[in-house]
Amino acid sequence: MSQERTELRLIIAIIQRRDLEDLSQALLAAGFSFTHVASLGGFLMEANDTLFIAVPQKETEMVLEIIRQHCHSRTRYLSPISPLLEMGGLFPPAPVEVQVGGAHIFVLPVEEWQRLGATSADKEA
Ligand code: 2BA
């Protein structure tokens, strides 16, 4: 007898710290488990947050919709250090506008999910 396998996806969501509380509450309210890791953006070197959410494939869109609703795009202004300023020049360069967020999402197929220490009946794949 063949055993039916649930197709799983791992959603990795990099979000802005200001969206973390709302998004976490919404995911929990909808019954999704996740792991939260504090992370750092390589460009701005600012704190952001990364969520790992493993779900059955058919629930992927539901999670993406929750993320869309709770992660917002924001404008940030960077002040680049001009070589002239560094040499004692008078005029600081104009701030550069950068759009950050809503979220960067990666959806990966999950080959296997085991909860070690659980009984074999608990295995998902
Ligand atoms: P950061 O790398 O600190 O980037 C923050 C914002 O700076 C970006 O917002 C984007 O507007 C701008 N930016 C980043 N790299 C740039 C570049 N080389 N030239 C000009 N502007 C640049 P988002 O695009 O919303 O990215 C937010 C955060 O998402 C990133 O923080 C990073 O932590 C993550 N991220 C973005 N793309 C990624 C990727 N391909 N792989 C892994 N993480 C990524």
Side-chain angles (χ1 to χ4, degrees), residues 14 40-46 48 98-101 104 106:
I14 304 168
L40 191 70
F43 186 70
L44 293 184
M45 300 305 273
E46 281 187 354
N48 54 27
V98 173
Q99 287 293 325
V100 185
H104 284 269
F106 303 87

Side-chain angles (χ1 to χ4, degrees), residues 11-24 27 34-42 45-53 67 70-71 74 100-106:
I11 301 169
I12 302 175
I14 304 168
I15 65 165
Q16 291 179 72
R17 182 137 293 178
R18 275 184 282 174
D19 294 322
L20 178 66
E21 182 67 29
D22 273 2
L23 179 59
S24 299
L27 287 170
F34 59 89
T35 294
H36 159 223
V37 175
S39 45
L40 191 70
M45 300 305 273
E46 281 187 354
N48 54 27
D49 292 281
T50 302
L51 302 187
F52 295 86
I53 314 156
I67 295 172
H70 293 88
C71 293
R74 295 182 179 91
V100 185
H104 284 269
I105 308 292
F106 303 87

